[in-house]
Amino acid sequence: MDVQARDLREVANKQVAELSDANARELLVLGLLAIAVLWLGVHPAPFTEIMHASVNDLLKHVAVSKL
């Protein structure tokens, strides 16, 4: 049986068939998370500036020779 035919069958489990799709609250949270991810991709400077000092300190620590 191919994938399309399998997807179009009725659900055998009654409890699974009664489950609903995402409600408005879940879609709102999903939308806000999507906007946050897109904003981080377009304008990451505020978040990378916060980490700048600690990353520089880590690089100095790693650059020190262990010998």
Side-chain angles (χ1 to χ4, degrees):
M1 178 179 303
D2 64 340
V3 175
Q4 289 178 343
R6 185 175 55 221
D7 289 342
L8 297 176
R9 293 185 304 178
E10 290 188 25
V11 179
N13 188 337
K14 180 182 174 186
Q15 292 173 335
V16 174
E18 292 175 357
L19 291 175
S20 63
D21 291 334
N23 59 27
R25 180 179 50 187
E26 294 167 341
L27 291 175
L28 175 67
V29 171
L30 178 64
L32 292 173
L33 287 172
I35 290 169
V37 167
L38 289 173
W39 182 253
L40 274 171
V42 172
H43 190 66
F47 301 98
T48 56
E49 287 175 3
I50 293 170
M51 299 181 297
H52 188 71
S54 60
V55 170
N56 280 341
D57 188 42
L58 178 64
L59 289 175
K60 288 177 188 175
H61 179 72
V62 171
V64 174
S65 176
K66 304 283 192 256
L67 297 176

CSV table of all heavy atoms in Angstrom, one decimal:
chain,number,residue,atom,x,y,z
A,1,MET,N,0.8,-1.2,0.0
A,1,MET,CA,0.0,0.0,0.0
A,1,MET,C,0.9,1.2,0.0
A,1,MET,O,1.8,1.4,0.8
A,1,MET,CB,-0.9,0.0,1.3
A,1,MET,CG,-1.8,1.2,1.4
A,1,MET,SD,-2.8,1.1,2.9
A,1,MET,CE,-3.7,-0.4,2.6
A,2,ASP,N,0.6,2.2,-0.9
A,2,ASP,CA,1.4,3.4,-0.9
A,2,ASP,C,1.1,4.4,0.2
A,2,ASP,O,0.1,4.2,0.9
A,2,ASP,CB,1.3,4.0,-2.3
A,2,ASP,CG,-0.1,4.5,-2.6
A,2,ASP,OD1,-1.0,4.1,-1.9
A,2,ASP,OD2,-0.2,5.4,-3.5
A,3,VAL,N,1.9,5.4,0.3
A,3,VAL,CA,1.8,6.3,1.4
A,3,VAL,C,0.5,7.1,1.4
A,3,VAL,O,-0.2,7.3,2.4
A,3,VAL,CB,3.0,7.3,1.5
A,3,VAL,CG1,2.8,8.3,2.5
A,3,VAL,CG2,4.2,6.5,1.7
A,4,GLN,N,0.1,7.6,0.2
A,4,GLN,CA,-1.1,8.4,0.1
A,4,GLN,C,-2.4,7.5,0.5
A,4,GLN,O,-3.3,8.0,1.2
A,4,GLN,CB,-1.3,8.9,-1.3
A,4,GLN,CG,-0.3,10.0,-1.6
A,4,GLN,CD,-0.4,10.5,-3.1
A,4,GLN,OE1,-1.0,9.8,-3.9
A,4,GLN,NE2,0.2,11.6,-3.3
A,5,ALA,N,-2.5,6.3,0.0
A,5,ALA,CA,-3.6,5.5,0.4
A,5,ALA,C,-3.6,5.2,1.9
A,5,ALA,O,-4.7,5.2,2.5
A,5,ALA,CB,-3.6,4.2,-0.4
A,6,ARG,N,-2.5,5.0,2.5
A,6,ARG,CA,-2.4,4.8,3.9
A,6,ARG,C,-2.9,6.0,4.7
A,6,ARG,O,-3.5,5.9,5.7
A,6,ARG,CB,-1.0,4.3,4.3
A,6,ARG,CG,-0.9,3.9,5.8
A,6,ARG,CD,0.5,3.4,6.1
A,6,ARG,NE,1.5,4.4,5.7
A,6,ARG,CZ,2.6,4.1,5.2
A,6,ARG,NH1,3.0,2.8,5.0
A,6,ARG,NH2,3.5,5.0,4.9
A,7,ASP,N,-2.5,7.2,4.2
A,7,ASP,CA,-2.9,8.4,4.9
A,7,ASP,C,-4.4,8.7,4.8
A,7,ASP,O,-4.9,9.4,5.7
A,7,ASP,CB,-2.1,9.6,4.4
A,7,ASP,CG,-0.6,9.5,4.8
A,7,ASP,OD1,-0.3,8.8,5.7
A,7,ASP,OD2,0.2,10.2,4.1
A,8,LEU,N,-5.0,8.3,3.8
A,8,LEU,CA,-6.4,8.6,3.6
A,8,LEU,C,-7.4,7.6,4.3
A,8,LEU,O,-8.6,7.8,4.2
A,8,LEU,CB,-6.7,8.7,2.1
A,8,LEU,CG,-6.0,9.9,1.4
A,8,LEU,CD1,-6.2,9.8,-0.1
A,8,LEU,CD2,-6.3,11.2,2.0
A,9,ARG,N,-6.9,6.5,4.9
A,9,ARG,CA,-7.7,5.6,5.5
A,9,ARG,C,-8.3,6.2,6.8
A,9,ARG,O,-7.8,7.1,7.3
A,9,ARG,CB,-7.0,4.3,5.9
A,9,ARG,CG,-6.5,3.5,4.8
A,9,ARG,CD,-5.8,2.2,5.3
A,9,ARG,NE,-4.7,2.6,6.2
A,9,ARG,CZ,-4.0,1.7,6.9
A,9,ARG,NH1,-4.2,0.4,6.7
A,9,ARG,NH2,-3.1,2.1,7.7
A,10,GLU,N,-9.4,5.5,7.3
A,10,GLU,CA,-10.0,6.0,8.5
A,10,GLU,C,-9.1,5.5,9.7
A,10,GLU,O,-8.4,4.5,9.5
A,10,GLU,CB,-11.4,5.3,8.7
A,10,GLU,CG,-12.4,5.9,7.8
A,10,GLU,CD,-13.8,5.4,8.1
A,10,GLU,OE1,-14.0,5.1,9.3
A,10,GLU,OE2,-14.6,5.4,7.2
A,11,VAL,N,-9.1,6.2,10.8
A,11,VAL,CA,-8.3,5.9,11.9
A,11,VAL,C,-9.0,4.7,12.7
A,11,VAL,O,-10.2,4.8,13.0
A,11,VAL,CB,-8.1,7.1,12.9
A,11,VAL,CG1,-7.3,6.7,14.1
A,11,VAL,CG2,-7.5,8.2,12.1
A,12,ALA,N,-8.2,3.7,12.9
A,12,ALA,CA,-8.8,2.5,13.5
A,12,ALA,C,-9.0,2.7,15.0
A,12,ALA,O,-10.0,2.1,15.6
A,12,ALA,CB,-7.8,1.3,13.4
A,13,ASN,N,-8.2,3.5,15.7
A,13,ASN,CA,-8.4,3.7,17.1
A,13,ASN,C,-9.4,4.9,17.4
A,13,ASN,O,-9.1,6.0,16.9
A,13,ASN,CB,-7.0,4.0,17.8
A,13,ASN,CG,-7.1,4.1,19.3
A,13,ASN,OD1,-8.1,4.3,19.9
A,13,ASN,ND2,-5.9,3.9,19.9
A,14,LYS,N,-10.5,4.6,18.1
A,14,LYS,CA,-11.5,5.6,18.3
A,14,LYS,C,-11.0,6.8,19.1
A,14,LYS,O,-11.3,7.9,18.8
A,14,LYS,CB,-12.7,5.0,19.0
A,14,LYS,CG,-13.8,5.9,19.3
A,14,LYS,CD,-14.9,5.2,20.1
A,14,LYS,CE,-16.0,6.3,20.5
A,14,LYS,NZ,-17.0,5.7,21.3
A,15,GLN,N,-10.1,6.6,20.1
A,15,GLN,CA,-9.6,7.6,20.9
A,15,GLN,C,-8.7,8.6,20.1
A,15,GLN,O,-8.7,9.8,20.2
A,15,GLN,CB,-8.8,7.1,22.1
A,15,GLN,CG,-9.7,6.4,23.1
A,15,GLN,CD,-8.9,5.7,24.2
A,15,GLN,OE1,-7.8,5.3,24.0
A,15,GLN,NE2,-9.5,5.5,25.3
A,16,VAL,N,-7.9,8.0,19.2
A,16,VAL,CA,-7.1,8.8,18.3
A,16,VAL,C,-7.9,9.6,17.3
A,16,VAL,O,-7.6,10.7,17.0
A,16,VAL,CB,-6.1,7.9,17.6
A,16,VAL,CG1,-5.3,8.7,16.6
A,16,VAL,CG2,-5.1,7.2,18.6
A,17,ALA,N,-9.0,9.0,16.8
A,17,ALA,CA,-9.9,9.7,15.9
A,17,ALA,C,-10.5,10.9,16.5
A,17,ALA,O,-10.8,11.9,15.8
A,17,ALA,CB,-10.9,8.7,15.3
A,18,GLU,N,-10.8,10.9,17.8
A,18,GLU,CA,-11.4,12.0,18.5
A,18,GLU,C,-10.5,13.1,18.8
A,18,GLU,O,-11.0,14.2,19.3
A,18,GLU,CB,-12.1,11.4,19.8
A,18,GLU,CG,-13.3,10.5,19.5
A,18,GLU,CD,-13.8,9.9,20.8
A,18,GLU,OE1,-13.3,10.2,21.9
A,18,GLU,OE2,-14.8,9.2,20.7
A,19,LEU,N,-9.2,13.0,18.7
A,19,LEU,CA,-8.3,14.0,19.0
A,19,LEU,C,-8.4,15.2,18.0
A,19,LEU,O,-8.7,15.0,16.8
A,19,LEU,CB,-6.8,13.5,18.9
A,19,LEU,CG,-6.4,12.5,20.0
A,19,LEU,CD1,-5.0,12.0,19.7
A,19,LEU,CD2,-6.4,13.2,21.3
A,20,SER,N,-8.3,16.4,18.5
A,20,SER,CA,-8.5,17.6,17.7
A,20,SER,C,-7.1,18.1,17.3
A,20,SER,O,-6.1,17.8,17.9
A,20,SER,CB,-9.3,18.7,18.4
A,20,SER,OG,-8.5,19.1,19.6
A,21,ASP,N,-7.1,19.0,16.3
A,21,ASP,CA,-5.9,19.6,15.8
A,21,ASP,C,-5.5,20.7,16.8
A,21,ASP,O,-6.2,20.9,17.9
A,21,ASP,CB,-6.1,20.2,14.4
A,21,ASP,CG,-6.2,19.2,13.4
A,21,ASP,OD1,-5.7,18.1,13.6
A,21,ASP,OD2,-6.9,19.5,12.3
A,22,ALA,N,-4.5,21.5,16.6
A,22,ALA,CA,-4.1,22.5,17.5
A,22,ALA,C,-5.2,23.6,17.6
A,22,ALA,O,-5.8,24.0,16.7
A,22,ALA,CB,-2.8,23.2,16.9
A,23,ASN,N,-5.3,24.0,18.9
A,23,ASN,CA,-6.3,25.1,19.1
A,23,ASN,C,-5.7,26.5,19.0
A,23,ASN,O,-4.5,26.6,18.7
A,23,ASN,CB,-7.0,24.9,20.5
A,23,ASN,CG,-5.9,24.9,21.7
A,23,ASN,OD1,-4.9,25.6,21.5
A,23,ASN,ND2,-6.2,24.3,22.8
A,24,ALA,N,-6.5,27.5,19.2
A,24,ALA,CA,-6.0,28.9,19.0
A,24,ALA,C,-4.8,29.2,19.9
A,24,ALA,O,-3.9,29.9,19.5
A,24,ALA,CB,-7.2,29.8,19.3
A,25,ARG,N,-4.9,28.8,21.2
A,25,ARG,CA,-3.8,29.1,22.1
A,25,ARG,C,-2.5,28.5,21.6
A,25,ARG,O,-1.4,29.1,21.6
A,25,ARG,CB,-4.1,28.6,23.5
A,25,ARG,CG,-3.0,28.9,24.5
A,25,ARG,CD,-3.4,28.4,25.9
A,25,ARG,NE,-3.9,27.1,25.8
A,25,ARG,CZ,-4.4,26.4,26.8
A,25,ARG,NH1,-4.6,27.0,27.9
A,25,ARG,NH2,-4.8,25.2,26.7
A,26,GLU,N,-2.5,27.2,21.1
A,26,GLU,CA,-1.3,26.6,20.6
A,26,GLU,C,-0.8,27.2,19.4
A,26,GLU,O,0.4,27.4,19.2
A,26,GLU,CB,-1.6,25.1,20.4
A,26,GLU,CG,-1.9,24.3,21.7
A,26,GLU,CD,-2.5,23.0,21.4
A,26,GLU,OE1,-3.1,22.7,20.3
A,26,GLU,OE2,-2.5,22.1,22.4
A,27,LEU,N,-1.7,27.6,18.5
A,27,LEU,CA,-1.3,28.3,17.3
A,27,LEU,C,-0.7,29.7,17.6
A,27,LEU,O,0.3,30.1,16.9
A,27,LEU,CB,-2.5,28.5,16.3
A,27,LEU,CG,-3.0,27.2,15.7
A,27,LEU,CD1,-4.2,27.4,14.9
A,27,LEU,CD2,-1.9,26.5,14.9
A,28,LEU,N,-1.2,30.4,18.6
A,28,LEU,CA,-0.6,31.6,19.0
A,28,LEU,C,0.8,31.5,19.5
A,28,LEU,O,1.7,32.2,19.1
A,28,LEU,CB,-1.5,32.3,20.1
A,28,LEU,CG,-0.9,33.6,20.7
A,28,LEU,CD1,-0.9,34.7,19.7
A,28,LEU,CD2,-1.7,34.0,22.0
A,29,VAL,N,1.0,30.5,20.4
A,29,VAL,CA,2.4,30.2,20.9
A,29,VAL,C,3.3,29.8,19.8
A,29,VAL,O,4.5,30.3,19.7
A,29,VAL,CB,2.3,29.1,22.0
A,29,VAL,CG1,3.7,28.7,22.4
A,29,VAL,CG2,1.6,29.6,23.2
A,30,LEU,N,2.8,29.0,18.9
A,30,LEU,CA,3.6,28.6,17.7
A,30,LEU,C,4.0,29.8,16.9
A,30,LEU,O,5.2,29.9,16.4
A,30,LEU,CB,2.9,27.5,16.9
A,30,LEU,CG,3.6,27.0,15.6
A,30,LEU,CD1,4.9,26.3,16.0
A,30,LEU,CD2,2.7,26.1,14.8
A,31,GLY,N,3.1,30.7,16.6
A,31,GLY,CA,3.3,31.9,15.9
A,31,GLY,C,4.3,32.8,16.5
A,31,GLY,O,5.2,33.3,15.9
A,32,LEU,N,4.2,32.9,17.8
A,32,LEU,CA,5.2,33.8,18.6
A,32,LEU,C,6.6,33.2,18.5
A,32,LEU,O,7.6,33.9,18.4
A,32,LEU,CB,4.7,34.0,20.0
A,32,LEU,CG,3.5,34.8,20.2
A,32,LEU,CD1,3.0,34.8,21.6
A,32,LEU,CD2,3.7,36.2,19.7
A,33,LEU,N,6.7,31.9,18.7
A,33,LEU,CA,8.0,31.2,18.6
A,33,LEU,C,8.6,31.4,17.2
A,33,LEU,O,9.8,31.6,17.0
A,33,LEU,CB,7.9,29.8,19.0
A,33,LEU,CG,7.7,29.5,20.5
A,33,LEU,CD1,7.4,28.0,20.7
A,33,LEU,CD2,8.9,29.9,21.2
A,34,ALA,N,7.8,31.2,16.2
A,34,ALA,CA,8.2,31.4,14.8
A,34,ALA,C,8.7,32.8,14.5
A,34,ALA,O,9.8,33.0,13.9
A,34,ALA,CB,7.1,31.0,13.8
A,35,ILE,N,8.0,33.8,15.1
A,35,ILE,CA,8.5,35.2,14.9
A,35,ILE,C,9.8,35.4,15.6
A,35,ILE,O,10.7,36.1,15.1
A,35,ILE,CB,7.4,36.1,15.4
A,35,ILE,CG1,6.2,36.1,14.5
A,35,ILE,CG2,7.9,37.6,15.6
A,35,ILE,CD1,4.9,36.8,15.0
A,36,ALA,N,9.9,34.8,16.8
A,36,ALA,CA,11.2,35.0,17.6
A,36,ALA,C,12.3,34.4,16.8
A,36,ALA,O,13.4,34.9,16.8
A,36,ALA,CB,11.0,34.4,19.0
A,37,VAL,N,12.1,33.2,16.3
A,37,VAL,CA,13.2,32.5,15.5
A,37,VAL,C,13.6,33.3,14.3
A,37,VAL,O,14.8,33.5,14.0
A,37,VAL,CB,12.8,31.1,15.1
A,37,VAL,CG1,13.7,30.5,14.1
A,37,VAL,CG2,12.7,30.2,16.4
A,38,LEU,N,12.6,33.8,13.6
A,38,LEU,CA,12.9,34.7,12.4
A,38,LEU,C,13.6,35.9,12.8
A,38,LEU,O,14.5,36.4,12.1
A,38,LEU,CB,11.6,35.0,11.7
A,38,LEU,CG,11.0,33.8,10.9
A,38,LEU,CD1,9.6,34.2,10.4
A,38,LEU,CD2,11.9,33.3,9.8
A,39,TRP,N,13.2,36.6,13.9
A,39,TRP,CA,13.9,37.8,14.4
A,39,TRP,C,15.3,37.5,14.7
A,39,TRP,O,16.2,38.3,14.4
A,39,TRP,CB,13.1,38.4,15.5
A,39,TRP,CG,13.7,39.7,16.0
A,39,TRP,CD1,14.5,39.9,17.1
A,39,TRP,CD2,13.7,40.9,15.3
A,39,TRP,NE1,14.9,41.2,17.2
A,39,TRP,CE2,14.5,41.8,16.1
A,39,TRP,CE3,13.2,41.3,14.1
A,39,TRP,CZ2,14.6,43.2,15.7
A,39,TRP,CZ3,13.4,42.7,13.8
A,39,TRP,CH2,14.1,43.6,14.6
A,40,LEU,N,15.6,36.4,15.4
A,40,LEU,CA,17.0,36.0,15.7
A,40,LEU,C,17.8,35.8,14.4
A,40,LEU,O,19.0,36.1,14.4
A,40,LEU,CB,17.0,34.7,16.5
A,40,LEU,CG,16.8,34.9,18.0
A,40,LEU,CD1,16.7,33.5,18.7
A,40,LEU,CD2,18.0,35.6,18.6
A,41,GLY,N,17.2,35.3,13.4
A,41,GLY,CA,17.9,35.1,12.1
A,41,GLY,C,18.2,36.4,11.4
A,41,GLY,O,19.2,36.6,10.8
A,42,VAL,N,17.3,37.4,11.5
A,42,VAL,CA,17.5,38.6,10.8
A,42,VAL,C,18.3,39.6,11.6
A,42,VAL,O,19.1,40.3,11.0
A,42,VAL,CB,16.1,39.3,10.5
A,42,VAL,CG1,16.2,40.7,9.9
A,42,VAL,CG2,15.3,38.4,9.6
A,43,HIS,N,18.1,39.7,12.9
A,43,HIS,CA,18.8,40.7,13.8
A,43,HIS,C,19.3,40.0,15.0
A,43,HIS,O,18.7,40.2,16.1
A,43,HIS,CB,17.8,41.8,14.1
A,43,HIS,CG,18.4,43.0,14.7
A,43,HIS,ND1,19.4,43.8,14.1
A,43,HIS,CD2,18.3,43.5,15.9
A,43,HIS,CE1,19.7,44.7,14.9
A,43,HIS,NE2,19.1,44.6,16.0
A,44,PRO,N,20.4,39.3,15.0
A,44,PRO,CA,20.9,38.6,16.1
A,44,PRO,C,21.8,39.4,17.1
A,44,PRO,O,22.2,38.9,18.1
A,44,PRO,CB,21.7,37.4,15.5
A,44,PRO,CG,22.2,38.0,14.3
A,44,PRO,CD,21.1,38.9,13.8
A,45,ALA,N,22.1,40.6,16.7
A,45,ALA,CA,23.1,41.4,17.5
A,45,ALA,C,22.8,41.6,19.0
A,45,ALA,O,23.7,41.4,19.8
A,45,ALA,CB,23.2,42.8,16.8
A,46,PRO,N,21.5,41.8,19.4
A,46,PRO,CA,21.3,42.0,20.8
A,46,PRO,C,21.6,40.7,21.6
A,46,PRO,O,22.1,40.8,22.8
A,46,PRO,CB,19.8,42.3,20.9
A,46,PRO,CG,19.4,42.8,19.6
A,46,PRO,CD,20.3,42.2,18.6
A,47,PHE,N,21.5,39.6,21.0
A,47,PHE,CA,21.7,38.3,21.7
A,47,PHE,C,23.2,38.0,21.7
A,47,PHE,O,23.7,37.5,22.7
A,47,PHE,CB,20.9,37.2,21.1
A,47,PHE,CG,19.4,37.5,21.2
A,47,PHE,CD1,18.8,38.0,20.1
A,47,PHE,CD2,18.7,37.3,22.4
A,47,PHE,CE1,17.4,38.3,20.2
A,47,PHE,CE2,17.4,37.5,22.5
A,47,PHE,CZ,16.7,38.1,21.4
A,48,THR,N,23.9,38.3,20.6
A,48,THR,CA,25.3,38.0,20.5
A,48,THR,C,26.1,39.0,21.4
A,48,THR,O,27.2,38.6,21.9
A,48,THR,CB,25.8,38.0,19.1
A,48,THR,OG1,25.5,39.2,18.5
A,48,THR,CG2,25.2,36.8,18.3
A,49,GLU,N,25.7,40.2,21.5
A,49,GLU,CA,26.4,41.2,22.3
A,49,GLU,C,26.4,40.7,23.8
A,49,GLU,O,27.4,41.0,24.5
A,49,GLU,CB,25.7,42.5,22.2
A,49,GLU,CG,26.0,43.2,20.9
A,49,GLU,CD,25.3,44.5,20.7
A,49,GLU,OE1,24.6,44.9,21.7
A,49,GLU,OE2,25.4,45.1,19.7
A,50,ILE,N,25.4,40.1,24.3
A,50,ILE,CA,25.3,39.6,25.7
A,50,ILE,C,26.4,38.6,25.9
A,50,ILE,O,27.0,38.5,27.0
A,50,ILE,CB,23.9,39.0,25.9
A,50,ILE,CG1,22.9,40.1,25.9
A,50,ILE,CG2,23.9,38.3,27.3
A,50,ILE,CD1,21.4,39.6,26.0
A,51,MET,N,26.7,37.7,24.9
A,51,MET,CA,27.6,36.6,25.1
A,51,MET,C,29.1,37.1,24.8
A,51,MET,O,30.0,36.3,25.0
A,51,MET,CB,27.3,35.5,24.1
A,51,MET,CG,25.9,34.9,24.4
A,51,MET,SD,25.6,33.5,23.3
A,51,MET,CE,25.6,34.3,21.7
A,52,HIS,N,29.3,38.3,24.2
A,52,HIS,CA,30.6,38.7,23.8
A,52,HIS,C,31.7,38.6,24.8
A,52,HIS,O,32.7,38.1,24.6
A,52,HIS,CB,30.5,40.1,23.2
A,52,HIS,CG,31.7,40.6,22.5
A,52,HIS,ND1,32.1,40.1,21.3
A,52,HIS,CD2,32.6,41.5,22.8
A,52,HIS,CE1,33.2,40.7,20.9
A,52,HIS,NE2,33.5,41.6,21.8
A,53,ALA,N,31.4,39.1,26.0
A,53,ALA,CA,32.4,39.2,27.1
A,53,ALA,C,32.8,37.7,27.5
A,53,ALA,O,34.0,37.4,27.7
A,53,ALA,CB,31.9,39.9,28.3
A,54,SER,N,31.8,36.9,27.7
A,54,SER,CA,32.2,35.5,28.1
A,54,SER,C,32.9,34.7,27.0
A,54,SER,O,33.7,33.9,27.3
A,54,SER,CB,30.9,34.8,28.6
A,54,SER,OG,30.0,34.7,27.6
A,55,VAL,N,32.5,34.9,25.8
A,55,VAL,CA,33.2,34.2,24.7
A,55,VAL,C,34.6,34.7,24.6
A,55,VAL,O,35.5,33.9,24.4
A,55,VAL,CB,32.4,34.4,23.4
A,55,VAL,CG1,33.3,33.9,22.2
A,55,VAL,CG2,31.1,33.8,23.4
A,56,ASN,N,34.9,36.0,24.7
A,56,ASN,CA,36.3,36.5,24.7
A,56,ASN,C,37.1,35.9,25.9
A,56,ASN,O,38.2,35.5,25.7
A,56,ASN,CB,36.3,38.0,24.8
A,56,ASN,CG,36.0,38.6,23.5
A,56,ASN,OD1,36.1,38.0,22.4
A,56,ASN,ND2,35.6,39.9,23.5
A,57,ASP,N,36.5,35.8,27.1
A,57,ASP,CA,37.2,35.2,28.2
A,57,ASP,C,37.5,33.7,27.9
A,57,ASP,O,38.6,33.2,28.2
A,57,ASP,CB,36.3,35.3,29.4
A,57,ASP,CG,37.1,34.9,30.7
A,57,ASP,OD1,38.3,35.2,30.8
A,57,ASP,OD2,36.4,34.2,31.5
A,58,LEU,N,36.6,33.0,27.3
A,58,LEU,CA,36.8,31.6,27.0
A,58,LEU,C,37.9,31.5,26.0
A,58,LEU,O,38.7,30.6,26.1
A,58,LEU,CB,35.5,31.0,26.5
A,58,LEU,CG,35.6,29.5,26.0
A,58,LEU,CD1,35.9,28.6,27.2
A,58,LEU,CD2,34.3,29.1,25.3
A,59,LEU,N,37.9,32.3,25.0
A,59,LEU,CA,39.0,32.3,23.9
A,59,LEU,C,40.4,32.5,24.6
A,59,LEU,O,41.3,31.9,24.2
A,59,LEU,CB,38.7,33.3,22.8
A,59,LEU,CG,37.5,32.9,21.9
A,59,LEU,CD1,37.3,34.0,20.9
A,59,LEU,CD2,37.8,31.6,21.2
A,60,LYS,N,40.4,33.5,25.5
A,60,LYS,CA,41.7,33.7,26.2
A,60,LYS,C,42.1,32.5,27.0
A,60,LYS,O,43.3,32.1,27.0
A,60,LYS,CB,41.6,34.9,27.1
A,60,LYS,CG,41.5,36.2,26.4
A,60,LYS,CD,41.3,37.4,27.4
A,60,LYS,CE,41.0,38.7,26.7
A,60,LYS,NZ,40.7,39.8,27.6
A,61,HIS,N,41.2,31.9,27.6
A,61,HIS,CA,41.5,30.7,28.4
A,61,HIS,C,42.0,29.5,27.5
A,61,HIS,O,42.9,28.8,27.9
A,61,HIS,CB,40.3,30.2,29.2
A,61,HIS,CG,40.4,29.0,30.0
A,61,HIS,ND1,41.2,29.0,31.2
A,61,HIS,CD2,40.0,27.8,29.9
A,61,HIS,CE1,41.2,27.8,31.7
A,61,HIS,NE2,40.5,27.0,30.9
A,62,VAL,N,41.4,29.3,26.4
A,62,VAL,CA,41.7,28.3,25.5
A,62,VAL,C,43.1,28.5,24.8
A,62,VAL,O,43.9,27.6,24.5
A,62,VAL,CB,40.6,28.0,24.4
A,62,VAL,CG1,41.1,27.1,23.3
A,62,VAL,CG2,39.4,27.5,25.1
A,63,ALA,N,43.4,29.8,24.6
A,63,ALA,CA,44.7,30.1,23.9
A,63,ALA,C,45.9,29.9,24.8
A,63,ALA,O,47.0,29.8,24.2
A,63,ALA,CB,44.6,31.6,23.4
A,64,VAL,N,45.7,29.9,26.1
A,64,VAL,CA,46.9,29.7,27.0
A,64,VAL,C,47.4,28.3,26.8
A,64,VAL,O,46.7,27.3,26.8
A,64,VAL,CB,46.5,29.9,28.4
A,64,VAL,CG1,47.6,29.5,29.4
A,64,VAL,CG2,46.0,31.3,28.6
A,65,SER,N,48.7,28.2,26.6
A,65,SER,CA,49.4,26.8,26.4
A,65,SER,C,49.4,26.0,27.7
A,65,SER,O,49.6,26.6,28.8
A,65,SER,CB,50.8,27.1,25.9
A,65,SER,OG,51.5,25.8,25.8
A,66,LYS,N,49.1,24.8,27.5
A,66,LYS,CA,49.1,23.9,28.7
A,66,LYS,C,50.5,23.3,29.0
A,66,LYS,O,50.7,22.6,30.0
A,66,LYS,CB,48.2,22.7,28.4
A,66,LYS,CG,46.7,23.1,28.1
A,66,LYS,CD,46.0,23.5,29.3
A,66,LYS,CE,44.5,23.6,29.0
A,66,LYS,NZ,44.0,24.9,28.9
A,67,LEU,N,51.5,23.6,28.2
A,67,LEU,CA,52.8,23.1,28.4
A,67,LEU,C,53.6,24.0,29.2
A,67,LEU,O,53.7,25.1,29.4
A,67,LEU,CB,53.5,22.8,27.0
A,67,LEU,CG,52.8,21.8,26.2
A,67,LEU,CD1,53.5,21.7,24.8
A,67,LEU,CD2,52.8,20.4,26.8
